[in-house]
Amino acid sequence: MGRAPCCDKANVKKGPWSPEEDAKLKEYIEKSGTGGNWIALPQKAGLRRCGKSCRLRWLNYLRPNIKHGEFSDEEDRVICSLYASIGSRWSIIAGQLPGRTDNDIKNYWNTKLKKKLMGFVSSSQKIRPFHQNQHQITTGYNNYYPQILPYSSPSTTLTTLEAYKYSNNNTFPCYETIPTIPSSSFLNTAAAASCTSGITASTSPILQIQESNYVGPTTTTSSDGSAEYENLDFHSYIYNGVIGNEDDQSNSKFLIEGGGKPINGNSCYVEQQNPLDYSSLEEIKQLISSNNNNNVTCNSNLFLDENKIEEKVMMYY
DNA sequence: AACATTGGCAACCGCATACGT
DNA sequence: CACGTATGCGGTTGCCAATGT
């Protein structure tokens, strides 16, 4: 037995609302309120509509202070940042954009913003929304997968709780990443240790992803003893929900010392300077997400409780 | 000019959750 | 606690206008 229908489907009108219906609904709600009962409202208001339809029409179109039209750069930025953090939780995102509805934002994302952003990132760099990102274990050479790990010392991996502590007041949880190190390579330990030890424990609103593309075990040792691992390239990372690339390494947002090319003993660290200082929308436009990356596997215990992320997001905005 | 395709958006649908009894 | 119902949410659909062929 299915659930009872919320209304008499045969006797309710569907499809676009007429100006007359809009006027009736608006007048009724402004005069009498919703009464906390949307199901009963259409009858009281003299409308042949389903209560759900009335609710939707009111919330998305008729209620006061609804903003229609172009989204501003700032709104784009907020949407991008939050999408990177919490995914398609449109109602939460809408809560941060006064006058915008979840439906509006969802449509905007699906039809415009996503496409706008997609143009900036190649398919190999598609990144999942934060809460969907998963611990990546690479298995050999030529891996080119996003890798997200909690910030860790060279010898230990932080627990979720410990990782959480790396976030400071009013920030997103902090995640640092280390390069993707191919397994079964003699470079693994050395590269991991040298890179990780150089990573600065950030306390900023930061979510970073680095990708490395290890294409061969080429290494050179300098006279000072530092090793350079060639062909181990950094490609991208996320910073405040913004995907950067090698070209961004010298800008004000990031400094990856040593550039994106060979990594030597102490040069692999990432530092952010002013996490909230977005100088241009172009950086935000590099955020992208993909729900269809089949190259990742799940190790969800490495990630924070989603509720805590939301708390942080709320504090931040 | 006619038809096909694409894009944008309002609205619908079904599921999960909240809430009342 | 169990059950039924209402609400809210996110995914999807369908319509229409714009654009392309």
Side-chain angles (χ1 to χ4, degrees), chain A residues 3 14-15 17 49 52-53 56-57 103 107 111-112:
Chain A
R3 64 184 299 174
K14 288 170 71 170
W17 282 63
R49 287 275 179 177
K52 284 178 88 167
S53 178
L56 209 63
R57 187 63 181 169
N103 208 38
N107 283 334
T111 60
K112 292 181 181 173

mmCIF file of all heavy atoms in Angstrom, chain A residues 3 14-15 17 49 52-53 56-57 103 107 111-112, chain B residues 6-18:
data_model
loop_
_atom_site.group_PDB
_atom_site.id
_atom_site.type_symbol
_atom_site.label_atom_id
_atom_site.label_comp_id
_atom_site.label_asym_id
_atom_site.label_seq_id
_atom_site.Cartn_x
_atom_site.Cartn_y
_atom_site.Cartn_z
ATOM 1 N N ARG A 3 1.590 5.465 -0.005
ATOM 2 C CA ARG A 3 1.129 6.535 0.879
ATOM 3 C C ARG A 3 -0.022 7.292 0.233
ATOM 4 O O ARG A 3 -0.166 7.327 -0.979
ATOM 5 C CB ARG A 3 2.266 7.485 1.219
ATOM 6 C CG ARG A 3 2.795 8.210 0.049
ATOM 7 C CD ARG A 3 3.985 9.054 0.434
ATOM 8 N NE ARG A 3 3.648 10.063 1.429
ATOM 9 C CZ ARG A 3 4.557 10.832 1.988
ATOM 10 N NH1 ARG A 3 5.832 10.649 1.727
ATOM 11 N NH2 ARG A 3 4.214 11.755 2.823
ATOM 12 N N LYS A 14 -2.176 21.828 -12.821
ATOM 13 C CA LYS A 14 -0.721 21.727 -12.849
ATOM 14 C C LYS A 14 -0.187 22.698 -13.890
ATOM 15 O O LYS A 14 -0.938 23.299 -14.645
ATOM 16 C CB LYS A 14 -0.314 20.284 -13.185
ATOM 17 C CG LYS A 14 -0.567 19.314 -12.037
ATOM 18 C CD LYS A 14 -0.401 17.888 -12.460
ATOM 19 C CE LYS A 14 1.049 17.539 -12.721
ATOM 20 N NZ LYS A 14 1.232 16.071 -12.909
ATOM 21 N N GLY A 15 1.085 22.838 -13.878
ATOM 22 C CA GLY A 15 1.703 23.706 -14.874
ATOM 23 C C GLY A 15 1.884 25.127 -14.376
ATOM 24 O O GLY A 15 1.696 25.408 -13.187
ATOM 25 N N TRP A 17 1.794 28.979 -13.325
ATOM 26 C CA TRP A 17 0.799 29.749 -12.596
ATOM 27 C C TRP A 17 0.390 30.977 -13.402
ATOM 28 O O TRP A 17 1.223 31.662 -13.993
ATOM 29 C CB TRP A 17 1.377 30.189 -11.249
ATOM 30 C CG TRP A 17 1.382 29.108 -10.221
ATOM 31 C CD1 TRP A 17 2.082 27.932 -10.284
ATOM 32 C CD2 TRP A 17 0.656 29.092 -9.010
ATOM 33 N NE1 TRP A 17 1.841 27.179 -9.172
ATOM 34 C CE2 TRP A 17 0.965 27.876 -8.352
ATOM 35 C CE3 TRP A 17 -0.223 29.965 -8.391
ATOM 36 C CZ2 TRP A 17 0.432 27.534 -7.122
ATOM 37 C CZ3 TRP A 17 -0.763 29.635 -7.162
ATOM 38 C CH2 TRP A 17 -0.431 28.418 -6.541
ATOM 39 N N ARG A 49 -5.114 24.125 -6.653
ATOM 40 C CA ARG A 49 -3.714 23.733 -6.733
ATOM 41 C C ARG A 49 -3.369 22.809 -5.576
ATOM 42 O O ARG A 49 -3.988 22.849 -4.517
ATOM 43 C CB ARG A 49 -2.794 24.958 -6.634
ATOM 44 C CG ARG A 49 -2.783 25.833 -7.865
ATOM 45 C CD ARG A 49 -1.808 25.302 -8.876
ATOM 46 N NE ARG A 49 -1.768 26.110 -10.102
ATOM 47 C CZ ARG A 49 -0.941 25.869 -11.112
ATOM 48 N NH1 ARG A 49 -0.072 24.878 -11.046
ATOM 49 N NH2 ARG A 49 -0.974 26.609 -12.196
ATOM 50 N N LYS A 52 1.534 21.560 -2.106
ATOM 51 C CA LYS A 52 2.972 21.614 -2.374
ATOM 52 C C LYS A 52 3.293 22.622 -3.467
ATOM 53 O O LYS A 52 4.294 23.320 -3.422
ATOM 54 C CB LYS A 52 3.466 20.219 -2.812
ATOM 55 C CG LYS A 52 3.604 19.237 -1.680
ATOM 56 C CD LYS A 52 4.048 17.885 -2.194
ATOM 57 C CE LYS A 52 5.547 17.790 -2.255
ATOM 58 N NZ LYS A 52 6.001 16.389 -2.456
ATOM 59 N N SER A 53 2.405 22.657 -4.435
ATOM 60 C CA SER A 53 2.606 23.587 -5.538
ATOM 61 C C SER A 53 2.505 25.038 -5.036
ATOM 62 O O SER A 53 3.295 25.899 -5.438
ATOM 63 C CB SER A 53 1.553 23.320 -6.620
ATOM 64 O OG SER A 53 1.702 24.226 -7.677
ATOM 65 N N LEU A 56 5.647 25.941 -3.073
ATOM 66 C CA LEU A 56 6.760 26.176 -3.980
ATOM 67 C C LEU A 56 6.637 27.539 -4.665
ATOM 68 O O LEU A 56 7.605 28.281 -4.785
ATOM 69 C CB LEU A 56 6.779 25.066 -5.029
ATOM 70 C CG LEU A 56 8.129 24.708 -5.613
ATOM 71 C CD1 LEU A 56 9.045 24.158 -4.532
ATOM 72 C CD2 LEU A 56 7.958 23.671 -6.728
ATOM 73 N N ARG A 57 5.424 27.818 -5.104
ATOM 74 C CA ARG A 57 5.215 29.083 -5.812
ATOM 75 C C ARG A 57 5.496 30.261 -4.879
ATOM 76 O O ARG A 57 6.096 31.256 -5.282
ATOM 77 C CB ARG A 57 3.777 29.150 -6.323
ATOM 78 C CG ARG A 57 3.484 30.343 -7.206
ATOM 79 C CD ARG A 57 4.301 30.323 -8.475
ATOM 80 N NE ARG A 57 4.022 31.489 -9.303
ATOM 81 C CZ ARG A 57 4.749 31.821 -10.370
ATOM 82 N NH1 ARG A 57 5.775 31.080 -10.742
ATOM 83 N NH2 ARG A 57 4.452 32.901 -11.064
ATOM 84 N N ASN A 103 16.062 26.667 -5.342
ATOM 85 C CA ASN A 103 15.770 26.308 -6.730
ATOM 86 C C ASN A 103 16.531 27.193 -7.702
ATOM 87 O O ASN A 103 17.079 26.726 -8.698
ATOM 88 C CB ASN A 103 14.267 26.436 -6.978
ATOM 89 C CG ASN A 103 13.769 25.506 -8.068
ATOM 90 O OD1 ASN A 103 14.230 24.376 -8.181
ATOM 91 N ND2 ASN A 103 12.847 25.984 -8.873
ATOM 92 N N ASN A 107 19.320 25.846 -10.251
ATOM 93 C CA ASN A 107 19.221 26.066 -11.687
ATOM 94 C C ASN A 107 20.429 26.839 -12.209
ATOM 95 O O ASN A 107 20.953 26.523 -13.273
ATOM 96 C CB ASN A 107 17.943 26.836 -12.030
ATOM 97 C CG ASN A 107 16.712 25.951 -11.976
ATOM 98 O OD1 ASN A 107 16.807 24.743 -12.163
ATOM 99 N ND2 ASN A 107 15.570 26.535 -11.693
ATOM 100 N N THR A 111 22.880 25.182 -14.946
ATOM 101 C CA THR A 111 22.799 25.667 -16.323
ATOM 102 C C THR A 111 23.913 26.628 -16.687
ATOM 103 O O THR A 111 24.270 26.738 -17.843
ATOM 104 C CB THR A 111 21.456 26.370 -16.587
ATOM 105 O OG1 THR A 111 21.333 27.485 -15.698
ATOM 106 C CG2 THR A 111 20.296 25.426 -16.372
ATOM 107 N N LYS A 112 24.445 27.318 -15.713
ATOM 108 C CA LYS A 112 25.417 28.354 -16.074
ATOM 109 C C LYS A 112 26.751 28.215 -15.362
ATOM 110 O O LYS A 112 27.797 28.052 -15.991
ATOM 111 C CB LYS A 112 24.836 29.743 -15.785
ATOM 112 C CG LYS A 112 23.688 30.119 -16.690
ATOM 113 C CD LYS A 112 23.199 31.513 -16.351
ATOM 114 C CE LYS A 112 22.025 31.904 -17.240
ATOM 115 N NZ LYS A 112 21.431 33.174 -16.832
ATOM 116 P P DT B 6 21.852 19.498 -29.558
ATOM 117 O OP1 DT B 6 23.302 19.206 -29.714
ATOM 118 O OP2 DT B 6 20.940 18.481 -28.984
ATOM 119 O "O5'" DT B 6 21.709 20.840 -28.709
ATOM 120 C "C5'" DT B 6 22.192 22.062 -29.286
ATOM 121 C "C4'" DT B 6 21.886 23.213 -28.342
ATOM 122 O "O4'" DT B 6 20.496 23.584 -28.436
ATOM 123 C "C3'" DT B 6 22.182 22.932 -26.862
ATOM 124 O "O3'" DT B 6 23.013 23.963 -26.396
ATOM 125 C "C2'" DT B 6 20.800 22.914 -26.213
ATOM 126 C "C1'" DT B 6 20.000 23.826 -27.141
ATOM 127 N N1 DT B 6 18.532 23.591 -27.215
ATOM 128 C C2 DT B 6 17.677 24.656 -27.083
ATOM 129 O O2 DT B 6 18.053 25.799 -26.889
ATOM 130 N N3 DT B 6 16.333 24.349 -27.196
ATOM 131 C C4 DT B 6 15.787 23.111 -27.424
ATOM 132 O O4 DT B 6 14.574 22.959 -27.505
ATOM 133 C C5 DT B 6 16.734 22.026 -27.557
ATOM 134 C C7 DT B 6 16.236 20.630 -27.795
ATOM 135 C C6 DT B 6 18.042 22.312 -27.446
ATOM 136 P P DG B 7 23.548 23.937 -24.911
ATOM 137 O OP1 DG B 7 24.928 24.481 -24.893
ATOM 138 O OP2 DG B 7 23.259 22.621 -24.296
ATOM 139 O "O5'" DG B 7 22.584 25.021 -24.244
ATOM 140 C "C5'" DG B 7 22.327 26.235 -24.960
ATOM 141 C "C4'" DG B 7 21.533 27.187 -24.080
ATOM 142 O "O4'" DG B 7 20.118 26.910 -24.208
ATOM 143 C "C3'" DG B 7 21.844 27.109 -22.583
ATOM 144 O "O3'" DG B 7 21.805 28.433 -22.088
ATOM 145 C "C2'" DG B 7 20.728 26.222 -22.020
ATOM 146 C "C1'" DG B 7 19.560 26.546 -22.961
ATOM 147 N N9 DG B 7 18.642 25.454 -23.232
ATOM 148 C C8 DG B 7 18.940 24.129 -23.455
ATOM 149 N N7 DG B 7 17.884 23.387 -23.719
ATOM 150 C C5 DG B 7 16.831 24.289 -23.677
ATOM 151 C C6 DG B 7 15.448 24.078 -23.871
ATOM 152 O O6 DG B 7 14.861 23.027 -24.149
ATOM 153 N N1 DG B 7 14.726 25.255 -23.726
ATOM 154 C C2 DG B 7 15.260 26.484 -23.435
ATOM 155 N N2 DG B 7 14.412 27.500 -23.326
ATOM 156 N N3 DG B 7 16.564 26.700 -23.236
ATOM 157 C C4 DG B 7 17.275 25.562 -23.375
ATOM 158 P P DG B 8 22.101 28.704 -20.586
ATOM 159 O OP1 DG B 8 22.866 29.979 -20.544
ATOM 160 O OP2 DG B 8 22.614 27.495 -19.937
ATOM 161 O "O5'" DG B 8 20.639 28.980 -20.029
ATOM 162 C "C5'" DG B 8 19.858 30.000 -20.647
ATOM 163 C "C4'" DG B 8 18.540 30.132 -19.920
ATOM 164 O "O4'" DG B 8 17.678 29.034 -20.302
ATOM 165 C "C3'" DG B 8 18.642 30.100 -18.398
ATOM 166 O "O3'" DG B 8 17.861 31.165 -17.900
ATOM 167 C "C2'" DG B 8 18.087 28.723 -18.009
ATOM 168 C "C1'" DG B 8 17.116 28.446 -19.153
ATOM 169 N N9 DG B 8 16.905 27.049 -19.490
ATOM 170 C C8 DG B 8 17.859 26.059 -19.575
ATOM 171 N N7 DG B 8 17.371 24.897 -19.934
ATOM 172 C C5 DG B 8 16.017 25.131 -20.090
ATOM 173 C C6 DG B 8 14.971 24.258 -20.465
ATOM 174 O O6 DG B 8 15.039 23.051 -20.740
ATOM 175 N N1 DG B 8 13.737 24.913 -20.516
ATOM 176 C C2 DG B 8 13.546 26.239 -20.237
ATOM 177 N N2 DG B 8 12.296 26.693 -20.336
ATOM 178 N N3 DG B 8 14.512 27.072 -19.877
ATOM 179 C C4 DG B 8 15.713 26.455 -19.829
ATOM 180 P P DC B 9 17.871 31.512 -16.390
ATOM 181 O OP1 DC B 9 17.765 32.977 -16.292
ATOM 182 O OP2 DC B 9 18.967 30.793 -15.722
ATOM 183 O "O5'" DC B 9 16.494 30.881 -15.917
ATOM 184 C "C5'" DC B 9 15.317 31.221 -16.631
ATOM 185 C "C4'" DC B 9 14.195 30.305 -16.207
ATOM 186 O "O4'" DC B 9 14.404 28.985 -16.738
ATOM 187 C "C3'" DC B 9 14.051 30.138 -14.687
ATOM 188 O "O3'" DC B 9 12.693 30.367 -14.374
ATOM 189 C "C2'" DC B 9 14.417 28.679 -14.455
ATOM 190 C "C1'" DC B 9 13.972 28.054 -15.769
ATOM 191 N N1 DC B 9 14.585 26.744 -16.108
ATOM 192 C C2 DC B 9 13.759 25.744 -16.649
ATOM 193 O O2 DC B 9 12.572 25.997 -16.824
ATOM 194 N N3 DC B 9 14.304 24.545 -16.949
ATOM 195 C C4 DC B 9 15.598 24.328 -16.743
ATOM 196 N N4 DC B 9 16.085 23.138 -17.062
ATOM 197 C C5 DC B 9 16.460 25.339 -16.205
ATOM 198 C C6 DC B 9 15.905 26.529 -15.904
ATOM 199 P P DA B 10 12.312 30.920 -12.967
ATOM 200 O OP1 DA B 10 12.228 32.387 -13.069
ATOM 201 O OP2 DA B 10 13.161 30.298 -11.927
ATOM 202 O "O5'" DA B 10 10.845 30.335 -12.852
ATOM 203 C "C5'" DA B 10 9.976 30.436 -13.969
ATOM 204 C "C4'" DA B 10 9.049 29.240 -14.002
ATOM 205 O "O4'" DA B 10 9.784 28.047 -14.335
ATOM 206 C "C3'" DA B 10 8.345 28.967 -12.677
ATOM 207 O "O3'" DA B 10 6.981 28.698 -12.961
ATOM 208 C "C2'" DA B 10 9.076 27.749 -12.123
ATOM 209 C "C1'" DA B 10 9.548 27.037 -13.382
ATOM 210 N N9 DA B 10 10.800 26.286 -13.268
ATOM 211 C C8 DA B 10 11.975 26.705 -12.719
ATOM 212 N N7 DA B 10 12.949 25.822 -12.792
ATOM 213 C C5 DA B 10 12.371 24.751 -13.433
ATOM 214 C C6 DA B 10 12.867 23.490 -13.815
ATOM 215 N N6 DA B 10 14.131 23.092 -13.594
ATOM 216 N N1 DA B 10 12.031 22.648 -14.452
ATOM 217 C C2 DA B 10 10.775 23.043 -14.674
ATOM 218 N N3 DA B 10 10.180 24.199 -14.376
ATOM 219 C C4 DA B 10 11.047 25.017 -13.746
ATOM 220 P P DA B 11 5.961 28.499 -11.811
ATOM 221 O OP1 DA B 11 4.658 28.979 -12.320
ATOM 222 O OP2 DA B 11 6.513 29.021 -10.540
ATOM 223 O "O5'" DA B 11 5.908 26.918 -11.714
ATOM 224 C "C5'" DA B 11 5.550 26.173 -12.876
ATOM 225 C "C4'" DA B 11 5.750 24.701 -12.612
ATOM 226 O "O4'" DA B 11 7.160 24.426 -12.532
ATOM 227 C "C3'" DA B 11 5.150 24.191 -11.313
ATOM 228 O "O3'" DA B 11 4.124 23.275 -11.652
ATOM 229 C "C2'" DA B 11 6.307 23.543 -10.557
ATOM 230 C "C1'" DA B 11 7.350 23.346 -11.648
ATOM 231 N N9 DA B 11 8.746 23.411 -11.206
ATOM 232 C C8 DA B 11 9.372 24.415 -10.523
ATOM 233 N N7 DA B 11 10.634 24.188 -10.275
ATOM 234 C C5 DA B 11 10.872 22.948 -10.841
ATOM 235 C C6 DA B 11 12.026 22.139 -10.923
ATOM 236 N N6 DA B 11 13.205 22.483 -10.400
ATOM 237 N N1 DA B 11 11.908 20.953 -11.561
ATOM 238 C C2 DA B 11 10.725 20.610 -12.081
ATOM 239 N N3 DA B 11 9.575 21.278 -12.068
ATOM 240 C C4 DA B 11 9.713 22.454 -11.427
ATOM 241 P P DC B 12 3.341 22.446 -10.599
ATOM 242 O OP1 DC B 12 1.969 22.286 -11.133
ATOM 243 O OP2 DC B 12 3.566 22.981 -9.248
ATOM 244 O "O5'" DC B 12 4.068 21.027 -10.714
ATOM 245 C "C5'" DC B 12 4.262 20.447 -11.998
ATOM 246 C "C4'" DC B 12 5.011 19.140 -11.848
ATOM 247 O "O4'" DC B 12 6.388 19.396 -11.510
ATOM 248 C "C3'" DC B 12 4.455 18.220 -10.773
ATOM 249 O "O3'" DC B 12 4.301 16.925 -11.329
ATOM 250 C "C2'" DC B 12 5.502 18.252 -9.671
ATOM 251 C "C1'" DC B 12 6.780 18.576 -10.432
ATOM 252 N N1 DC B 12 7.812 19.325 -9.669
ATOM 253 C C2 DC B 12 9.116 18.812 -9.579
ATOM 254 O O2 DC B 12 9.392 17.741 -10.120
ATOM 255 N N3 DC B 12 10.046 19.523 -8.886
ATOM 256 C C4 DC B 12 9.721 20.678 -8.324
ATOM 257 N N4 DC B 12 10.676 21.340 -7.662
ATOM 258 C C5 DC B 12 8.399 21.210 -8.409
ATOM 259 C C6 DC B 12 7.487 20.510 -9.084
ATOM 260 P P DC B 13 3.600 15.754 -10.537
ATOM 261 O OP1 DC B 13 2.870 14.923 -11.519
ATOM 262 O OP2 DC B 13 2.900 16.329 -9.364
ATOM 263 O "O5'" DC B 13 4.846 14.925 -9.997
ATOM 264 C "C5'" DC B 13 5.831 14.496 -10.933
ATOM 265 C "C4'" DC B 13 6.870 13.654 -10.198
ATOM 266 O "O4'" DC B 13 7.812 14.531 -9.540
ATOM 267 C "C3'" DC B 13 6.269 12.747 -9.129
ATOM 268 O "O3'" DC B 13 6.808 11.450 -9.303
ATOM 269 C "C2'" DC B 13 6.702 13.377 -7.809
ATOM 270 C "C1'" DC B 13 7.959 14.165 -8.191
ATOM 271 N N1 DC B 13 8.186 15.432 -7.438
ATOM 272 C C2 DC B 13 9.463 15.738 -6.925
ATOM 273 O O2 DC B 13 10.373 14.924 -7.097
ATOM 274 N N3 DC B 13 9.641 16.905 -6.268
ATOM 275 C C4 DC B 13 8.634 17.751 -6.115
ATOM 276 N N4 DC B 13 8.870 18.901 -5.463
ATOM 277 C C5 DC B 13 7.331 17.471 -6.629
ATOM 278 C C6 DC B 13 7.156 16.313 -7.273
ATOM 279 P P DG B 14 6.155 10.217 -8.528
ATOM 280 O OP1 DG B 14 6.075 9.089 -9.481
ATOM 281 O OP2 DG B 14 4.954 10.650 -7.767
ATOM 282 O "O5'" DG B 14 7.300 9.887 -7.467
ATOM 283 C "C5'" DG B 14 8.652 9.816 -7.920
ATOM 284 C "C4'" DG B 14 9.583 9.834 -6.727
ATOM 285 O "O4'" DG B 14 9.681 11.183 -6.210
ATOM 286 C "C3'" DG B 14 9.142 8.965 -5.555
ATOM 287 O "O3'" DG B 14 10.294 8.347 -5.020
ATOM 288 C "C2'" DG B 14 8.529 9.957 -4.580
ATOM 289 C "C1'" DG B 14 9.443 11.169 -4.820
ATOM 290 N N9 DG B 14 8.895 12.473 -4.454
ATOM 291 C C8 DG B 14 7.599 12.911 -4.585
ATOM 292 N N7 DG B 14 7.421 14.145 -4.190
ATOM 293 C C5 DG B 14 8.680 14.542 -3.764
ATOM 294 C C6 DG B 14 9.120 15.773 -3.227
ATOM 295 O O6 DG B 14 8.453 16.804 -3.012
ATOM 296 N N1 DG B 14 10.476 15.765 -2.935
ATOM 297 C C2 DG B 14 11.317 14.691 -3.137
ATOM 298 N N2 DG B 14 12.588 14.857 -2.794
ATOM 299 N N3 DG B 14 10.916 13.524 -3.644
ATOM 300 C C4 DG B 14 9.603 13.527 -3.931
ATOM 301 P P DC B 15 10.172 7.088 -4.091
ATOM 302 O OP1 DC B 15 10.655 5.937 -4.872
ATOM 303 O OP2 DC B 15 8.846 7.048 -3.415
ATOM 304 O "O5'" DC B 15 11.271 7.447 -2.996
ATOM 305 C "C5'" DC B 15 12.496 8.041 -3.426
ATOM 306 C "C4'" DC B 15 13.062 8.878 -2.295
ATOM 307 O "O4'" DC B 15 12.338 10.130 -2.200
ATOM 308 C "C3'" DC B 15 12.974 8.210 -0.924
ATOM 309 O "O3'" DC B 15 14.267 8.224 -0.336
ATOM 310 C "C2'" DC B 15 11.990 9.075 -0.143
ATOM 311 C "C1'" DC B 15 12.099 10.425 -0.846
ATOM 312 N N1 DC B 15 10.876 11.282 -0.792
ATOM 313 C C2 DC B 15 10.974 12.599 -0.325
ATOM 314 O O2 DC B 15 12.080 13.024 0.043
ATOM 315 N N3 DC B 15 9.864 13.367 -0.284
ATOM 316 C C4 DC B 15 8.692 12.868 -0.691
ATOM 317 N N4 DC B 15 7.623 13.680 -0.637
ATOM 318 C C5 DC B 15 8.568 11.534 -1.176
ATOM 319 C C6 DC B 15 9.673 10.780 -1.204
ATOM 320 P P DA B 16 14.517 7.404 0.983
ATOM 321 O OP1 DA B 16 15.786 6.691 0.791
ATOM 322 O OP2 DA B 16 13.292 6.673 1.390
ATOM 323 O "O5'" DA B 16 14.758 8.580 2.031
ATOM 324 C "C5'" DA B 16 15.632 9.639 1.660
ATOM 325 C "C4'" DA B 16 15.635 10.693 2.753
ATOM 326 O "O4'" DA B 16 14.450 11.503 2.652
ATOM 327 C "C3'" DA B 16 15.663 10.141 4.180
ATOM 328 O "O3'" DA B 16 16.564 10.931 4.931
ATOM 329 C "C2'" DA B 16 14.215 10.261 4.643
ATOM 330 C "C1'" DA B 16 13.725 11.479 3.857
ATOM 331 N N9 DA B 16 12.305 11.467 3.487
ATOM 332 C C8 DA B 16 11.591 10.421 2.993
ATOM 333 N N7 DA B 16 10.335 10.707 2.730
ATOM 334 C C5 DA B 16 10.225 12.040 3.086
ATOM 335 C C6 DA B 16 9.150 12.943 3.053
ATOM 336 N N6 DA B 16 7.923 12.625 2.616
ATOM 337 N N1 DA B 16 9.375 14.199 3.473
ATOM 338 C C2 DA B 16 10.600 14.519 3.904
ATOM 339 N N3 DA B 16 11.691 13.772 3.991
ATOM 340 C C4 DA B 16 11.430 12.522 3.550
ATOM 341 P P DT B 17 16.828 10.574 6.459
ATOM 342 O OP1 DT B 17 18.253 10.862 6.697
ATOM 343 O OP2 DT B 17 16.256 9.250 6.774
ATOM 344 O "O5'" DT B 17 15.968 11.678 7.214
ATOM 345 C "C5'" DT B 17 16.094 13.030 6.796
ATOM 346 C "C4'" DT B 17 15.041 13.871 7.470
ATOM 347 O "O4'" DT B 17 13.750 13.607 6.881
ATOM 348 C "C3'" DT B 17 14.893 13.610 8.977
ATOM 349 O "O3'" DT B 17 15.038 14.862 9.629
ATOM 350 C "C2'" DT B 17 13.493 13.023 9.127
ATOM 351 C "C1'" DT B 17 12.786 13.604 7.895
ATOM 352 N N1 DT B 17 11.613 12.843 7.386
ATOM 353 C C2 DT B 17 10.430 13.526 7.151
ATOM 354 O O2 DT B 17 10.293 14.713 7.368
ATOM 355 N N3 DT B 17 9.410 12.753 6.653
ATOM 356 C C4 DT B 17 9.458 11.403 6.383
ATOM 357 O O4 DT B 17 8.475 10.820 5.935
ATOM 358 C C5 DT B 17 10.717 10.747 6.648
ATOM 359 C C7 DT B 17 10.876 9.287 6.374
ATOM 360 C C6 DT B 17 11.727 11.498 7.121
ATOM 361 P P DA B 18 14.970 14.982 11.213
ATOM 362 O OP1 DA B 18 16.055 15.909 11.620
ATOM 363 O OP2 DA B 18 14.864 13.631 11.818
ATOM 364 O "O5'" DA B 18 13.579 15.735 11.437
ATOM 365 C "C5'" DA B 18 13.252 16.821 10.564
ATOM 366 C "C4'" DA B 18 11.887 17.361 10.915
ATOM 367 O "O4'" DA B 18 10.859 16.526 10.323
ATOM 368 C "C3'" DA B 18 11.588 17.407 12.410
ATOM 369 O "O3'" DA B 18 10.850 18.598 12.665
ATOM 370 C "C2'" DA B 18 10.762 16.144 12.660
ATOM 371 C "C1'" DA B 18 10.023 15.990 11.330
ATOM 372 N N9 DA B 18 9.730 14.616 10.930
ATOM 373 C C8 DA B 18 10.576 13.543 10.945
ATOM 374 N N7 DA B 18 10.033 12.438 10.494
ATOM 375 C C5 DA B 18 8.743 12.814 10.152
ATOM 376 C C6 DA B 18 7.646 12.105 9.618
ATOM 377 N N6 DA B 18 7.693 10.813 9.314
ATOM 378 N N1 DA B 18 6.503 12.779 9.403
ATOM 379 C C2 DA B 18 6.455 14.077 9.698
ATOM 380 N N3 DA B 18 7.407 14.857 10.205
ATOM 381 C C4 DA B 18 8.537 14.157 10.410
#
